[in-house]
Amino acid sequence: MFSALARAFAQLPEPPLVRAVALSVVGAVLAILAAAVLAWMLIFELSILGDGFLGGALAWTGAAAVAALAFLFYPSTAMLIAGFFFDSVADAVEARHYPGLPPARRRGIGETLASALPLLGVTLAINIVLLPVYLLALVVPGLSAVLFYLANGYVFGREFFEAAAGRHLDRQAVRDLRKSRRGTVFLAGVAITVLTTVPILNLAAPVIASAFIVHVFQRLRAEAGP
């Protein structure tokens, strides 16, 4: 796991990944700006509901809620961003570290959206459902974070792995391999979720995660044998 992450980081300076990081940063900045605009709109709307202290308290409480939701939902946005350049990152990783592989199956924009948008909806739904649990877990230091990483780790591990494996295996073979190595796939998903929540690093998280999961898949495929 750590070697796969190290390889992913080491390859970041290569041109295909630099381009992907640039696109990732643009997408992340747009997502952050959208959250900021929403926060300021909420501050303005709530501030007119009351004068003085009450209005200010309502406004800043609303803004804090927007910031918290932005933090919870950014991993979902990162996954959506990753879908648009996953193949180019995977191609670069496989060309350098796994030469001789047969040509990978390519995904068009339509297929990318068809897989990414439902995933975005699922991760948003999971975090919305768990939001009351996150709040209740605040009484136990660290419990909210653990729940957040576990829930998103499961989804990200599954979806990133299937994206990497689906380039070379048929759907049933992908599922069989994932289920036979579910523990490793889950831990990989947790690692990806952590990447999306580290400030600054999360701007490149979709690219790092894409490269990382290719290494994870290739190792598990080799261990599973023909």
Side-chain angles (χ1 to χ4, degrees), residues 12-55:
L12 281 178
E14 294 187 7
L17 273 70
V18 170
R19 288 192 294 270
V21 168
L23 292 174
S24 176
V25 169
V26 170
V29 169
L30 290 176
I32 292 169
L33 288 176
V37 170
L38 180 58
W40 282 111
M41 290 175 61
L42 193 57
I43 289 172
F44 176 77
E45 292 295 332
L46 291 177
S47 65
I48 65 176
L49 296 179
D51 296 324
F53 176 78
L54 177 60

Side-chain angles (χ1 to χ4, degrees), residues 98-187:
Y98 309 98
L101 288 176
R105 187 178 71 85
R106 308 292 300 181
R107 297 186 305 169
I109 295 297
E111 185 178 353
T112 297
L113 287 173
S115 60
L117 289 177
L119 174 62
L120 178 62
V122 168
T123 51
L124 288 175
I126 287 174
N127 284 292
I128 289 172
V129 169
L130 288 178
L131 189 56
V133 181
Y134 293 151
L135 296 175
L136 289 174
L138 289 175
V139 298
V140 180
L143 183 56
S144 292
V146 170
L147 293 174
F148 174 79
Y149 288 121
L150 292 180
N152 287 279
Y154 171 77
V155 177
F156 290 159
R158 172 175 174 163
E159 298 302 327
F160 266 92
F161 182 81
E162 291 193 354
R167 290 164 46 86
H168 297 283
L169 303 176
D170 62 53
R171 183 170 300 179
Q172 188 59 50
V174 170
R175 290 177 178 173
D176 290 343
L177 180 58
R178 177 177 59 79
K179 290 179 179 179
S180 69
R181 298 293 191 276
R182 56 170 56 92
T184 300
V185 172
F186 170 69
L187 289 176

Side-chain angles (χ1 to χ4, degrees), residues 1-7 212:
M1 192 75 69
F2 291 108
S3 64
L5 271 175
R7 287 183 172 188
F212 163 65

